[in-house]
Amino acid sequence: MKRYSNLYSQIAAFDNILVAARKAQKGKRFREKVLAFNYNLEGELTKLQQELTKKTYQPGTYRTFFIKEPKSRMISAAPYRDRVVHHALCNVIVPLIEPTFISDSYANRLGFGTHRALHRFTHFARSSCYVLQCDIQKYFPSIDHEILKNLLRRKIKCQDTLWLIDTIIDNSNEQLAAIEYFKSDDLLTPVQRRRGLPIGNLTSQFFANVYLNTFDHFVKEQLQVKKYLRYVDDFALFSDDRGFLTEVRLAIEEYLAQLRLKIHPVKSQLFETKHGANFVGFRILPDRIRVRAENLRRAKRRLRKMQLDYIHGKISQEKVSQSIQSWYAHLEHGDTWQLRQQIFAALAWTRE
């Protein structure tokens, strides 16, 4: 396995940090922190470059908040200058490591995403009798720092780059509790081992794929599951042989235990595909694709709020148009023509 060295000069290069800043501000240019940073852009980038070069860089304090879509998740927002550093790091290391990912890993990858994953899932479901669909329990809070660092060291041997990676990982803020015991653990092991990555970080999204990359290869190459895909911590295996999937589940649980992960005892199920399966916000049935009821209710609430904000002049027509087009395009991936007509016909967009 090839390991990469001499990467840090590329990461700390001014041009790379400038590109990182442009990526970090995408869709956020007019936020207060971004405007303040851009007011003295060259000075801020030069300061960051000096801190990285001298290895005096230290991440700032996270801002945390909770979202419910549909379950409650804690989101951690890093300071803007730290997000610039995350992009600077990922600009260099992602192109080196991502080619090792399997083609059926879809989350947080350029050119992949939810809709491509949905089409692949639909193809597998409609050509198989059974599916083993699994969800990893408290995935981001459970990611073990020591294991993650060792996995990254399989591909990167540049010590300065590893210093920056370790600095970002070590400064992860405390996540929701995920106390789990595994073989050979003593009473204090789960407390002593550092774990958890902030969901809001670009680096966390990439590291999450790195963490399960060896698992993906294990399923495809060792277990020889031909129809398998993963989207973040949701994964599915398809077969016409129910007994095969039953055996495979045991092997999966044993392998994930090496990563100090467990599959969700309720959400992980083996069933016939003819009954339909939920995936990335849709319900995939043998003859049609529907939007999940909870996703539909949530979307209607957002649309109604956006409608009120527009009527009272809080958001622009351009913003409304972008949001509606995005949601409309998302719905087009299901059999939703009548649904689209009903939703958008019921909304009035006239200002007072």
Side-chain angles (χ1 to χ4, degrees):
M1 180 182 292
K2 184 175 181 180
R3 296 173 69 221
Y4 294 92
S5 58
N6 302 319
L7 303 176
Y8 199 65
S9 60
Q10 300 174 49
I11 295 168
F14 187 87
D15 287 348
N16 180 53
I17 301 173
L18 176 59
V19 171
R22 289 171 178 163
K23 289 183 177 180
Q25 72 175 350
K26 192 173 181 181
K28 307 178 182 70
R29 285 178 56 199
F30 299 107
R31 294 186 181 179
E32 182 181 350
K33 300 293 185 183
V34 180
L35 288 170
F37 189 92
N38 287 344
Y39 183 77
N40 181 29
L41 181 62
E42 185 174 351
E44 293 286 357
L45 296 181
T46 299
K47 184 179 178 182
L48 263 183
Q49 184 188 32
Q50 291 173 348
E51 290 178 15
L52 290 172
T53 301
K54 296 177 182 178
K55 294 166 69 175
T56 58
Y57 165 75
Q58 279 296 311
T61 303
Y62 285 92
R63 177 177 63 87
T64 61
F65 56 95
F66 288 83
I67 61 171
K68 189 175 181 181
E69 291 194 355
K71 60 185 178 182
S72 181
R73 293 177 184 269
M74 187 178 84
I75 305 297
S76 303
Y80 178 69
R81 73 191 308 267
D82 291 339
R83 297 202 295 272
V84 173
V85 173
H86 298 165
H87 277 278
L89 173 64
C90 287
N91 284 348
V92 175
I93 68 170
V94 169
L96 303 178
I97 298 177
E98 187 168 287
T100 68
F101 295 166
I102 66 168
S103 59
D104 281 316
S105 167
Y106 290 94
N108 307 309
R109 299 180 66 188
L110 189 63
F112 287 73
T114 56
H115 298 140
R116 188 168 169 179
L118 173 65
H119 294 155
R120 189 66 161 166
F121 188 101
T122 302
H123 169 70
F124 285 160
R126 291 178 176 174
S127 60
S128 310
C129 294
Y130 300 97
V131 58
L132 172 61
Q133 196 167 4
C134 299
D135 175 280
I136 295 177
Q137 190 164 255
K138 296 182 180 178
Y139 180 48
F140 277 86
S142 299
I143 292 176
D144 187 275
H145 289 191
E146 183 181 345
I147 294 173
L148 174 60
K149 290 176 182 179
N150 288 334
L151 290 170
L152 287 162
R153 279 160 170 75
R154 293 185 184 182
K155 294 299 295 179
I156 296 171
K157 61 180 179 180
C158 173
Q159 293 303 309
D160 290 337
T161 301
L162 291 172
W163 167 82
L164 179 57
I165 289 171
D166 290 352
T167 297
I168 293 170
I169 293 172
D170 291 342
N171 281 273
S172 299
N173 62 330
E174 187 174 351
Q175 300 297 299
L176 298 176
I179 304 295
E180 297 287 353
Y181 286 88
F182 298 87
K183 285 183 180 178
S184 75
D185 282 1
D186 59 31
L187 187 63
L188 296 177
T189 300
V191 180
Q192 293 170 336
R193 296 185 72 95
R194 286 215 61 197
R195 64 198 179 283
L197 295 181
I199 293 178
N201 280 3
L202 175 69
T203 47
S204 297
Q205 296 165 10
F206 176 64
F207 293 159
N209 273 338
V210 171
Y211 202 78
L212 286 176
N213 187 34
T214 58
F215 170 71
D216 293 338
H217 284 277
F218 169 74
V219 173
K220 294 287 291 181
E221 296 158 17
Q222 300 299 314
L223 300 182
Q224 306 220 324
V225 179
K226 295 180 180 179
K227 298 177 183 179
Y228 163 81
L229 59 78
R230 179 174 61 81
Y231 190 88
V232 192
D233 59 332
D234 295 328
F235 58 91
L237 302 81
F238 301 82
S239 176
D240 291 331
D241 185 343
R242 185 184 183 97
F244 170 69
L245 292 179
T246 300
E247 292 178 8
V248 159
R249 174 169 179 158
L250 297 174
I252 282 173
E253 290 175 338
E254 288 182 9
Y255 190 94
L256 288 175
Q258 298 174 40
L259 298 173
R260 299 190 66 81
L261 299 173
K262 291 183 178 181
I263 61 175
H264 198 288
V266 176
K267 295 180 182 179
S268 303
Q269 297 180 342
L270 171 57
F271 54 93
E272 292 181 82
T273 54
K274 68 181 182 181
H275 298 307
N278 296 328
F279 188 64
V280 294
F282 290 89
R283 183 159 184 80
I284 297 89
L285 297 156
D287 59 343
R288 61 197 180 280
I289 302 174
R290 291 178 171 172
V291 179
R292 289 185 64 190
E294 175 58 34
N295 290 64
L296 187 57
R297 284 193 294 270
R298 201 160 58 240
K300 285 181 176 179
R301 286 196 299 268
R302 284 200 298 262
L303 281 170
R304 282 194 292 270
K305 183 181 184 304
M306 184 169 62
Q307 180 188 25
L308 291 172
D309 287 345
Y310 175 72
I311 290 171
H312 295 112
K314 294 181 179 179
I315 57 174
S316 67
Q317 186 176 6
E318 181 183 9
K319 180 70 174 177
V320 168
S321 179
Q322 289 174 351
S323 297
I324 289 178
Q325 287 176 18
S326 175
W327 177 238
Y328 199 90
H330 178 66
L331 289 178
E332 283 184 315
H333 290 271
D335 301 307
T336 59
W337 187 86
Q338 288 185 333
L339 175 64
R340 281 175 272 150
Q341 304 309 306
Q342 292 169 5
I343 292 175
F344 296 110
L347 294 172
W349 300 97
T350 304
R351 280 188 169 155
E352 294 177 341

